[in-house]
Coordinates of all heavy atoms in Angstrom, one line a residue:
L7 N -5.1 -6.0 -13.8 CA -3.8 -6.5 -14.4 C -3.0 -7.0 -13.2 O -2.4 -8.1 -13.4 CB -3.1 -5.3 -15.0 CG -1.7 -5.6 -15.5 CD1 -1.7 -6.6 -16.7 CD2 -0.9 -4.3 -15.8
L8 N -3.0 -6.4 -12.1 CA -2.3 -6.8 -10.9 C -3.3 -7.0 -9.8 O -4.1 -6.1 -9.5 CB -1.3 -5.7 -10.5 CG -0.6 -5.9 -9.1 CD1 0.3 -7.2 -9.1 CD2 0.3 -4.7 -8.8
D9 N -3.2 -8.1 -9.1 CA -4.2 -8.4 -8.0 C -3.3 -9.0 -6.9 O -2.8 -10.1 -7.0 CB -5.2 -9.4 -8.5 CG -6.4 -9.5 -7.5 OD1 -6.4 -8.8 -6.5 OD2 -7.3 -10.3 -7.7
V10 N -3.3 -8.3 -5.8 CA -2.5 -8.7 -4.6 C -3.5 -9.1 -3.5 O -4.4 -8.3 -3.2 CB -1.5 -7.6 -4.2 CG1 -0.8 -8.0 -2.8 CG2 -0.5 -7.3 -5.2
T11 N -3.3 -10.2 -2.9 CA -4.2 -10.7 -1.8 C -3.5 -11.3 -0.7 O -2.6 -12.2 -0.9 CB -5.2 -11.7 -2.4 OG1 -5.9 -11.3 -3.5 CG2 -6.3 -12.1 -1.3
N12 N -3.7 -10.7 0.5 CA -3.1 -11.3 1.8 C -1.6 -11.5 1.7 O -1.1 -12.5 2.1 CB -3.8 -12.6 2.2 CG -5.3 -12.4 2.5 OD1 -5.7 -11.3 3.0 ND2 -6.1 -13.3 2.1
L13 N -0.9 -10.5 1.1 CA 0.5 -10.6 0.9 C 1.3 -10.3 2.2 O 1.1 -9.3 2.8 CB 0.9 -9.7 -0.2 CG 2.4 -9.7 -0.6 CD1 2.8 -11.0 -1.2 CD2 2.7 -8.5 -1.6
Q14 N 2.2 -11.2 2.5 CA 3.0 -11.0 3.7 C 4.5 -11.3 3.4 O 4.8 -12.3 2.7 CB 2.6 -11.9 4.9 CG 1.2 -11.5 5.4 CD 0.9 -12.3 6.7 OE1 1.3 -13.5 6.8 NE2 0.2 -11.7 7.6
K15 N 5.4 -10.5 3.9 CA 6.8 -10.8 3.8 C 7.5 -10.2 5.1 O 7.3 -9.1 5.5 CB 7.4 -10.1 2.6 CG 8.9 -10.4 2.4 CD 9.2 -11.8 2.2 CE 10.7 -12.1 2.0 NZ 11.0 -13.5 1.8
S16 N 8.3 -11.1 5.8 CA 9.0 -10.7 7.0 C 10.4 -11.0 6.8 O 10.8 -11.9 6.0 CB 8.4 -11.3 8.2 OG 8.5 -12.8 8.1
F17 N 11.3 -10.4 7.7 CA 12.7 -10.7 7.7 C 13.1 -10.9 9.1 O 12.6 -10.4 10.0 CB 13.5 -9.5 7.1 CG 13.3 -9.3 5.6 CD1 12.4 -8.4 5.1 CD2 13.9 -10.1 4.7 CE1 12.1 -8.2 3.8 CE2 13.7 -10.0 3.3 CZ 12.8 -9.0 2.9
V18 N 14.2 -11.8 9.3 CA 14.7 -12.0 10.6 C 16.0 -11.3 10.7 O 16.9 -11.3 9.9 CB 15.0 -13.6 10.7 CG1 15.6 -13.8 12.1 CG2 13.7 -14.4 10.6
S19 N 16.1 -10.5 11.8 CA 17.3 -9.7 12.1 C 18.4 -10.6 12.6 O 18.2 -11.8 13.0 CB 17.0 -8.7 13.2 OG 16.8 -9.3 14.4
P20 N 19.7 -10.1 12.6 CA 20.8 -10.9 13.2 C 20.5 -11.3 14.6 O 21.1 -12.3 15.1 CB 22.0 -9.9 13.1 CG 21.6 -9.0 12.0 CD 20.1 -8.8 12.1
D21 N 19.7 -10.6 15.3 CA 19.4 -11.0 16.7 C 18.3 -12.0 16.8 O 17.9 -12.5 17.9 CB 18.9 -9.7 17.5 CG 20.0 -8.7 17.6 OD1 21.2 -9.0 17.6 OD2 19.7 -7.5 17.7
G22 N 17.7 -12.4 15.7 CA 16.7 -13.4 15.7 C 15.3 -12.9 15.7 O 14.4 -13.7 15.8
D23 N 15.1 -11.6 15.8 CA 13.8 -11.0 15.8 C 13.2 -11.0 14.4 O 13.8 -10.6 13.5 CB 13.8 -9.6 16.4 CG 14.3 -9.6 17.8 OD1 14.0 -10.6 18.6 OD2 15.0 -8.6 18.2
R24 N 11.9 -11.4 14.3 CA 11.2 -11.4 13.0 C 10.4 -10.1 12.9 O 9.6 -9.8 13.8 CB 10.3 -12.6 12.8 CG 9.6 -12.6 11.5 CD 8.9 -14.0 11.3 NE 9.8 -15.1 11.1 CZ 10.4 -15.4 10.0 NH1 10.2 -14.7 8.9 NH2 11.3 -16.4 10.0
T25 N 10.6 -9.4 11.8 CA 9.9 -8.1 11.6 C 9.1 -8.2 10.3 O 9.6 -8.6 9.3 CB 10.9 -6.9 11.4 OG1 11.7 -6.9 12.6 CG2 10.2 -5.6 11.2
M26 N 7.8 -7.9 10.4 CA 6.9 -7.9 9.3 C 7.1 -6.6 8.5 O 7.0 -5.5 9.0 CB 5.4 -8.0 9.7 CG 4.4 -8.1 8.6 SD 4.5 -9.8 7.8 CE 3.9 -10.8 9.2
I27 N 7.5 -6.8 7.2 CA 7.8 -5.6 6.4 C 6.7 -5.3 5.5 O 6.3 -4.1 5.3 CB 9.1 -5.9 5.5 CG1 10.3 -6.2 6.4 CG2 9.4 -4.7 4.6 CD1 10.7 -5.1 7.3
V28 N 6.1 -6.3 4.9 CA 4.9 -6.1 4.0 C 3.8 -7.0 4.5 O 4.0 -8.2 4.7 CB 5.3 -6.4 2.5 CG1 4.0 -6.4 1.7 CG2 6.3 -5.4 2.0
D29 N 2.6 -6.4 4.7 CA 1.5 -7.2 5.1 C 0.2 -6.5 4.5 O -0.4 -5.7 5.1 CB 1.4 -7.2 6.6 CG 0.3 -8.2 7.1 OD1 -0.5 -8.7 6.3 OD2 0.4 -8.6 8.3
V30 N 0.0 -6.8 3.2 CA -1.0 -6.1 2.4 C -2.2 -7.0 2.2 O -2.1 -7.9 1.4 CB -0.4 -5.6 1.1 CG1 -1.5 -4.9 0.2 CG2 0.7 -4.6 1.4
P31 N -3.4 -6.7 2.8 CA -4.5 -7.5 2.6 C -5.0 -7.5 1.1 O -5.4 -8.5 0.6 CB -5.6 -6.9 3.5 CG -4.8 -6.1 4.5 CD -3.6 -5.6 3.8
S32 N -5.0 -6.3 0.5 CA -5.6 -6.2 -0.9 C -5.0 -5.0 -1.6 O -4.9 -3.9 -1.1 CB -7.1 -6.1 -0.8 OG -7.7 -6.0 -2.1
F33 N -4.6 -5.3 -2.9 CA -4.2 -4.2 -3.8 C -4.4 -4.6 -5.2 O -4.1 -5.7 -5.6 CB -2.7 -3.8 -3.5 CG -2.2 -2.7 -4.4 CD1 -2.4 -1.4 -4.1 CD2 -1.5 -3.0 -5.6 CE1 -1.9 -0.4 -4.9 CE2 -1.0 -2.0 -6.4 CZ -1.2 -0.7 -6.0
Q34 N -5.0 -3.7 -6.0 CA -5.3 -4.0 -7.4 C -4.8 -2.8 -8.3 O -4.8 -1.6 -7.9 CB -6.8 -4.2 -7.7 CG -7.3 -5.5 -7.2 CD -7.6 -5.5 -5.7 OE1 -8.1 -4.4 -5.2 NE2 -7.4 -6.5 -5.0
L35 N -4.4 -3.1 -9.5 CA -4.0 -2.2 -10.5 C -4.6 -2.6 -11.8 O -4.5 -3.7 -12.2 CB -2.5 -2.1 -10.6 CG -1.8 -1.1 -11.6 CD1 -2.1 0.3 -11.1 CD2 -0.3 -1.4 -11.8
A36 N -5.3 -1.6 -12.4 CA -6.0 -2.0 -13.7 C -5.1 -1.9 -14.9 O -4.0 -1.3 -14.8 CB -7.2 -1.0 -13.9
D37 N -5.4 -2.5 -15.9 CA -4.7 -2.5 -17.2 C -4.5 -1.1 -17.7 O -5.5 -0.3 -17.8 CB -5.4 -3.3 -18.2 CG -4.6 -3.6 -19.5 OD1 -3.3 -3.6 -19.4 OD2 -5.2 -3.7 -20.6
G38 N -3.2 -0.6 -17.9 CA -3.0 0.7 -18.3 C -3.0 1.8 -17.3 O -2.7 2.9 -17.5
E39 N -3.3 1.4 -16.0 CA -3.4 2.4 -15.0 C -2.1 2.8 -14.5 O -1.1 2.1 -14.5 CB -4.3 1.8 -13.8 CG -4.6 2.9 -12.7 CD -5.5 2.3 -11.6 OE1 -5.6 1.0 -11.6 OE2 -6.0 3.0 -10.8
Q40 N -2.0 4.1 -14.0 CA -0.7 4.6 -13.4 C -1.0 5.0 -12.0 O -1.8 5.9 -11.7 CB -0.2 5.8 -14.2 CG 0.1 5.4 -15.7 CD 0.9 6.4 -16.4 OE1 1.2 7.5 -15.9 NE2 1.3 6.1 -17.6
V41 N -0.2 4.4 -11.0 CA -0.5 4.6 -9.6 C 0.9 4.8 -8.9 O 1.9 4.1 -9.2 CB -1.2 3.3 -9.0 CG1 -1.3 3.5 -7.5 CG2 -2.5 3.1 -9.7
A42 N 0.8 5.7 -8.0 CA 2.0 5.9 -7.1 C 1.8 5.4 -5.7 O 0.6 5.5 -5.2 CB 2.3 7.4 -7.0
V43 N 2.8 4.8 -5.1 CA 2.7 4.4 -3.7 C 3.7 5.1 -2.9 O 4.9 5.2 -3.3 CB 3.0 2.8 -3.6 CG1 3.1 2.4 -2.1 CG2 1.9 2.0 -4.3

């Protein structure tokens, strides 16, 4: 149902530094499945 591949999200601080917050190579969730992170 959910298929995540090579997901990246970073944010830039007020000082201009970039920080990687999410960097997930792979994540799947089946139809009707219940998962906790």
